[in-house]
Amino acid sequence: VELTPKEFEVLALMARNSGRIFERETLLRKVWGYDYQGSTRTIDEHIKRLRSKLFAVDKKHTYIQTVWGVGYKFEVKEL
């Protein structure tokens, strides 16, 4: 799977902490740094692209789960 550097950083961070729920702000701080001035929607767009790329190579599993009202977590689930 070809990923951008930021996509890779987000995925690697979440995969290393499988099952942990990450708030958008936490992902921004850990991947983009404390001085990032953009919107938390940046995370949503990166997650959307990651899901699409991962689904293209494995249509039997999902890897990134949405935890409504909180954020996202890495957890492999069968479809």
Side-chain angles (χ1 to χ4, degrees), residues 14-46:
M14 293 180 73
R16 282 192 306 266
N17 296 278
S18 184
R20 176 181 170 189
I21 300 169
F22 285 94
E23 294 178 341
R24 288 170 182 85
E25 293 82 8
T26 302
L27 288 169
L28 282 173
R29 189 174 64 249
K30 289 186 175 288
V31 175
W32 277 263
Y34 284 98
D35 58 346
Y36 179 73
Q37 299 295 317
S39 166
T40 58
R41 301 299 295 174
T42 297
I43 292 298
D44 298 334
E45 288 301 315
H46 278 73

Side-chain angles (χ1 to χ4, degrees), residues 2-21:
E2 287 189 37
L3 302 175
T4 67
K6 290 297 184 196
E7 288 170 346
F8 180 81
E9 287 182 60
V10 169
L11 183 60
L13 174 64
M14 293 180 73
R16 282 192 306 266
N17 296 278
S18 184
R20 176 181 170 189
I21 300 169

Side-chain angles (χ1 to χ4, degrees), residues 55 58-62 77-79:
F55 185 74
D58 182 359
K59 293 176 176 47
K60 295 182 181 180
H61 298 91
T62 60
K77 288 189 174 186
E78 279 193 53
L79 291 174

